[in-house]
Short mmCIF file of all heavy atoms in Angstrom, two decimals:
data_model
loop_
_atom_site.label_atom_id
_atom_site.label_comp_id
_atom_site.label_asym_id
_atom_site.label_seq_id
_atom_site.Cartn_x
_atom_site.Cartn_y
_atom_site.Cartn_z
N LEU T 1094 -52.21 40.25 132.56
CA LEU T 1094 -51.87 39.08 131.73
C LEU T 1094 -53.16 38.45 131.26
O LEU T 1094 -54.11 38.22 132.03
CB LEU T 1094 -51.12 38.06 132.59
CG LEU T 1094 -49.74 38.56 133.19
CD1 LEU T 1094 -49.10 37.44 133.95
CD2 LEU T 1094 -48.85 39.12 132.12
N VAL T 1095 -53.29 38.19 130.01
CA VAL T 1095 -54.42 37.63 129.40
C VAL T 1095 -54.17 36.23 128.84
O VAL T 1095 -53.22 36.08 127.95
CB VAL T 1095 -54.96 38.55 128.24
CG1 VAL T 1095 -56.20 37.86 127.67
CG2 VAL T 1095 -55.27 39.89 128.78
N GLU T 1096 -54.87 35.22 129.32
CA GLU T 1096 -54.67 33.89 128.91
C GLU T 1096 -55.74 33.43 127.99
O GLU T 1096 -56.88 33.94 128.03
CB GLU T 1096 -54.69 32.95 130.18
CG GLU T 1096 -53.56 33.24 131.16
CD GLU T 1096 -53.73 32.47 132.49
OE1 GLU T 1096 -54.88 32.50 132.96
OE2 GLU T 1096 -52.77 31.94 133.01
N SER T 1097 -55.43 32.44 127.15
CA SER T 1097 -56.32 31.87 126.23
C SER T 1097 -55.91 30.52 125.83
O SER T 1097 -54.80 30.12 126.16
CB SER T 1097 -56.49 32.75 124.95
OG SER T 1097 -55.27 32.80 124.27
N GLY T 1098 -56.82 29.72 125.27
CA GLY T 1098 -56.48 28.39 124.77
C GLY T 1098 -57.00 27.23 125.55
O GLY T 1098 -56.91 26.15 125.13
N GLY T 1099 -57.56 27.49 126.66
CA GLY T 1099 -58.19 26.42 127.48
C GLY T 1099 -59.41 25.93 126.90
O GLY T 1099 -60.02 26.50 125.94
N GLY T 1100 -59.92 24.79 127.47
CA GLY T 1100 -61.14 24.16 126.92
C GLY T 1100 -61.26 22.78 127.33
O GLY T 1100 -60.58 22.22 128.18
N LEU T 1101 -62.22 22.13 126.70
CA LEU T 1101 -62.45 20.68 126.92
C LEU T 1101 -61.86 19.87 125.83
O LEU T 1101 -61.96 20.20 124.68
CB LEU T 1101 -64.00 20.46 126.98
CG LEU T 1101 -64.50 19.02 127.10
CD1 LEU T 1101 -64.09 18.41 128.39
CD2 LEU T 1101 -66.03 18.98 126.86
N VAL T 1102 -61.13 18.88 126.19
CA VAL T 1102 -60.48 18.02 125.26
C VAL T 1102 -60.53 16.60 125.81
O VAL T 1102 -60.53 16.30 126.98
CB VAL T 1102 -59.00 18.50 125.10
CG1 VAL T 1102 -58.12 18.33 126.36
CG2 VAL T 1102 -58.28 17.73 123.90
N GLN T 1103 -60.50 15.65 124.79
CA GLN T 1103 -60.52 14.21 125.19
C GLN T 1103 -59.17 13.80 125.60
O GLN T 1103 -58.14 14.34 125.15
CB GLN T 1103 -60.97 13.43 123.96
CG GLN T 1103 -62.45 13.68 123.60
CD GLN T 1103 -62.87 12.78 122.47
OE1 GLN T 1103 -63.37 11.67 122.69
NE2 GLN T 1103 -62.80 13.24 121.25
N PRO T 1104 -59.07 12.72 126.39
CA PRO T 1104 -57.72 12.19 126.71
C PRO T 1104 -56.98 11.85 125.41
O PRO T 1104 -57.50 11.30 124.48
CB PRO T 1104 -58.13 10.85 127.47
CG PRO T 1104 -59.38 11.21 128.09
CD PRO T 1104 -60.11 12.00 127.08
N GLY T 1105 -55.65 12.20 125.50
CA GLY T 1105 -54.81 12.03 124.35
C GLY T 1105 -54.83 13.20 123.39
O GLY T 1105 -53.96 13.26 122.48
N GLY T 1106 -55.71 14.19 123.61
CA GLY T 1106 -55.77 15.41 122.79
C GLY T 1106 -54.74 16.38 123.18
O GLY T 1106 -53.92 16.19 124.14
N SER T 1107 -54.75 17.49 122.52
CA SER T 1107 -53.75 18.56 122.68
C SER T 1107 -54.43 19.95 122.84
O SER T 1107 -55.53 20.19 122.27
CB SER T 1107 -52.79 18.61 121.53
OG SER T 1107 -52.06 17.45 121.36
N LEU T 1108 -53.79 20.84 123.54
CA LEU T 1108 -54.18 22.15 123.69
C LEU T 1108 -52.91 23.05 123.75
O LEU T 1108 -51.84 22.58 124.20
CB LEU T 1108 -55.05 22.40 124.98
CG LEU T 1108 -56.39 21.99 125.04
CD1 LEU T 1108 -57.02 22.15 126.40
CD2 LEU T 1108 -57.27 22.66 123.95
N ARG T 1109 -53.02 24.27 123.29
CA ARG T 1109 -51.97 25.23 123.40
C ARG T 1109 -52.48 26.46 124.12
O ARG T 1109 -53.35 27.16 123.66
CB ARG T 1109 -51.45 25.63 122.03
CG ARG T 1109 -50.24 26.58 122.02
CD ARG T 1109 -49.80 26.81 120.62
NE ARG T 1109 -48.63 27.68 120.52
CZ ARG T 1109 -48.72 28.99 120.22
NH1 ARG T 1109 -49.87 29.56 119.93
NH2 ARG T 1109 -47.56 29.71 120.13
N LEU T 1110 -51.88 26.66 125.33
CA LEU T 1110 -52.22 27.82 126.10
C LEU T 1110 -51.31 28.94 125.73
O LEU T 1110 -50.19 28.83 125.52
CB LEU T 1110 -52.09 27.52 127.60
CG LEU T 1110 -52.92 26.32 128.08
CD1 LEU T 1110 -52.75 26.20 129.63
CD2 LEU T 1110 -54.39 26.41 127.70
N SER T 1111 -51.94 30.14 125.72
CA SER T 1111 -51.18 31.39 125.49
C SER T 1111 -51.38 32.39 126.61
O SER T 1111 -52.49 32.41 127.21
CB SER T 1111 -51.61 32.03 124.12
OG SER T 1111 -51.34 31.20 123.09
N CYS T 1112 -50.38 33.17 126.84
CA CYS T 1112 -50.51 34.26 127.84
C CYS T 1112 -49.72 35.39 127.41
O CYS T 1112 -48.52 35.26 127.11
CB CYS T 1112 -50.00 33.71 129.22
SG CYS T 1112 -50.07 34.97 130.54
N ALA T 1113 -50.32 36.55 127.33
CA ALA T 1113 -49.64 37.76 126.86
C ALA T 1113 -49.80 38.90 127.80
O ALA T 1113 -50.88 39.08 128.39
CB ALA T 1113 -50.18 38.15 125.52
N ALA T 1114 -48.80 39.65 128.04
CA ALA T 1114 -48.78 40.84 128.88
C ALA T 1114 -49.32 42.03 128.04
O ALA T 1114 -48.78 42.25 126.96
CB ALA T 1114 -47.47 41.16 129.48
N SER T 1115 -50.19 42.75 128.59
CA SER T 1115 -50.69 43.95 127.93
C SER T 1115 -49.77 45.13 128.13
O SER T 1115 -48.94 45.12 129.08
CB SER T 1115 -52.06 44.30 128.42
OG SER T 1115 -52.05 44.66 129.82
N GLY T 1116 -49.91 46.11 127.28
CA GLY T 1116 -49.07 47.29 127.42
C GLY T 1116 -47.69 47.17 126.92
O GLY T 1116 -47.38 46.19 126.15
N SER T 1117 -46.79 48.02 127.31
CA SER T 1117 -45.42 48.05 126.80
C SER T 1117 -44.44 47.39 127.75
O SER T 1117 -43.24 47.37 127.40
CB SER T 1117 -45.04 49.52 126.59
OG SER T 1117 -45.06 50.26 127.74
N ALA T 1118 -44.85 46.88 128.85
CA ALA T 1118 -43.95 46.25 129.86
C ALA T 1118 -43.25 45.09 129.25
O ALA T 1118 -43.95 44.18 128.64
CB ALA T 1118 -44.63 45.86 131.10
N ASN T 1119 -41.98 44.99 129.31
CA ASN T 1119 -41.24 43.87 128.69
C ASN T 1119 -40.04 43.43 129.51
O ASN T 1119 -39.22 42.65 129.03
CB ASN T 1119 -40.82 44.20 127.27
CG ASN T 1119 -39.90 45.43 127.28
OD1 ASN T 1119 -39.50 45.98 128.27
ND2 ASN T 1119 -39.51 45.85 125.99
N ASN T 1120 -39.93 43.91 130.70
CA ASN T 1120 -38.78 43.61 131.55
C ASN T 1120 -39.04 42.36 132.47
O ASN T 1120 -38.86 42.37 133.65
CB ASN T 1120 -38.34 44.79 132.41
CG ASN T 1120 -39.49 45.28 133.32
OD1 ASN T 1120 -40.69 45.09 133.04
ND2 ASN T 1120 -39.13 45.85 134.46
N PHE T 1121 -39.54 41.27 131.84
CA PHE T 1121 -39.77 40.06 132.59
C PHE T 1121 -38.57 39.17 132.51
O PHE T 1121 -38.05 38.88 131.39
CB PHE T 1121 -41.05 39.32 131.98
CG PHE T 1121 -42.22 40.24 131.82
CD1 PHE T 1121 -42.67 40.59 130.60
CD2 PHE T 1121 -42.89 40.61 132.98
CE1 PHE T 1121 -43.77 41.42 130.50
CE2 PHE T 1121 -44.00 41.45 132.87
CZ PHE T 1121 -44.48 41.83 131.61
N TYR T 1122 -38.13 38.69 133.64
CA TYR T 1122 -37.01 37.79 133.64
C TYR T 1122 -37.42 36.35 133.70
O TYR T 1122 -36.50 35.39 133.51
CB TYR T 1122 -36.03 38.10 134.77
CG TYR T 1122 -36.52 37.90 136.16
CD1 TYR T 1122 -36.35 36.58 136.84
CD2 TYR T 1122 -37.12 38.88 136.90
CE1 TYR T 1122 -36.80 36.38 138.09
CE2 TYR T 1122 -37.51 38.64 138.24
CZ TYR T 1122 -37.34 37.49 138.77
OH TYR T 1122 -37.72 37.24 140.07
N LEU T 1123 -38.62 36.02 134.05
CA LEU T 1123 -39.10 34.64 134.05
C LEU T 1123 -40.56 34.61 133.73
O LEU T 1123 -41.33 35.47 134.23
CB LEU T 1123 -38.81 33.94 135.39
CG LEU T 1123 -39.22 32.51 135.55
CD1 LEU T 1123 -38.12 31.73 136.28
CD2 LEU T 1123 -40.56 32.33 136.24
N MET T 1124 -41.00 33.61 133.00
CA MET T 1124 -42.41 33.31 132.70
C MET T 1124 -42.68 31.93 133.12
O MET T 1124 -41.89 31.08 132.84
CB MET T 1124 -42.69 33.65 131.25
CG MET T 1124 -42.33 35.01 130.72
SD MET T 1124 -42.58 35.17 128.91
CE MET T 1124 -41.94 36.81 128.69
N ALA T 1125 -43.88 31.71 133.69
CA ALA T 1125 -44.10 30.36 134.19
C ALA T 1125 -45.60 30.01 134.04
O ALA T 1125 -46.48 30.91 133.89
CB ALA T 1125 -43.66 30.29 135.64
N TRP T 1126 -45.87 28.78 134.18
CA TRP T 1126 -47.22 28.24 134.20
C TRP T 1126 -47.43 27.44 135.46
O TRP T 1126 -46.59 26.66 135.87
CB TRP T 1126 -47.60 27.30 133.02
CG TRP T 1126 -47.70 28.03 131.73
CD1 TRP T 1126 -46.68 28.25 130.73
CD2 TRP T 1126 -48.85 28.65 131.24
NE1 TRP T 1126 -47.17 28.92 129.72
CE2 TRP T 1126 -48.56 29.21 129.97
CE3 TRP T 1126 -50.14 28.87 131.73
CZ2 TRP T 1126 -49.46 29.94 129.17
CZ3 TRP T 1126 -51.08 29.59 130.92
CH2 TRP T 1126 -50.76 30.11 129.70
N TYR T 1127 -48.49 27.72 136.15
CA TYR T 1127 -48.92 26.95 137.26
C TYR T 1127 -50.27 26.39 137.03
O TYR T 1127 -51.00 26.80 136.08
CB TYR T 1127 -48.98 27.83 138.56
CG TYR T 1127 -47.70 28.24 139.06
CD1 TYR T 1127 -46.83 29.19 138.51
CD2 TYR T 1127 -47.18 27.72 140.27
CE1 TYR T 1127 -45.62 29.54 139.00
CE2 TYR T 1127 -45.94 28.06 140.86
CZ TYR T 1127 -45.17 28.98 140.18
OH TYR T 1127 -43.95 29.35 140.68
N ARG T 1128 -50.70 25.37 137.77
CA ARG T 1128 -52.04 24.90 137.69
C ARG T 1128 -52.60 24.56 139.08
O ARG T 1128 -51.91 24.25 140.02
CB ARG T 1128 -52.06 23.61 136.77
CG ARG T 1128 -51.46 22.38 137.35
CD ARG T 1128 -51.45 21.27 136.29
NE ARG T 1128 -50.87 20.05 136.75
CZ ARG T 1128 -50.60 18.98 136.03
NH1 ARG T 1128 -50.94 18.98 134.72
NH2 ARG T 1128 -50.04 17.92 136.57
N GLN T 1129 -53.92 24.50 139.17
CA GLN T 1129 -54.63 24.13 140.40
C GLN T 1129 -55.64 23.04 140.00
O GLN T 1129 -56.62 23.29 139.32
CB GLN T 1129 -55.36 25.33 140.99
CG GLN T 1129 -55.89 24.95 142.40
CD GLN T 1129 -56.37 26.18 143.20
OE1 GLN T 1129 -56.32 27.39 142.66
NE2 GLN T 1129 -56.71 25.96 144.39
#
Side-chain angles (χ1 to χ4, degrees):
L1094 303 182
V1095 180
E1096 297 169 317
S1097 63
L1101 175 64
V1102 65
Q1103 296 184 85
S1107 297
L1108 287 173
R1109 183 175 182 260
L1110 305 183
S1111 299
C1112 179
S1115 63
S1117 60
N1119 60 5
N1120 59 332
F1121 308 110
Y1122 68 86
L1123 183 140
M1124 305 175 184
W1126 290 95
Y1127 288 74
R1128 68 184 181 187
Q1129 187 169 7

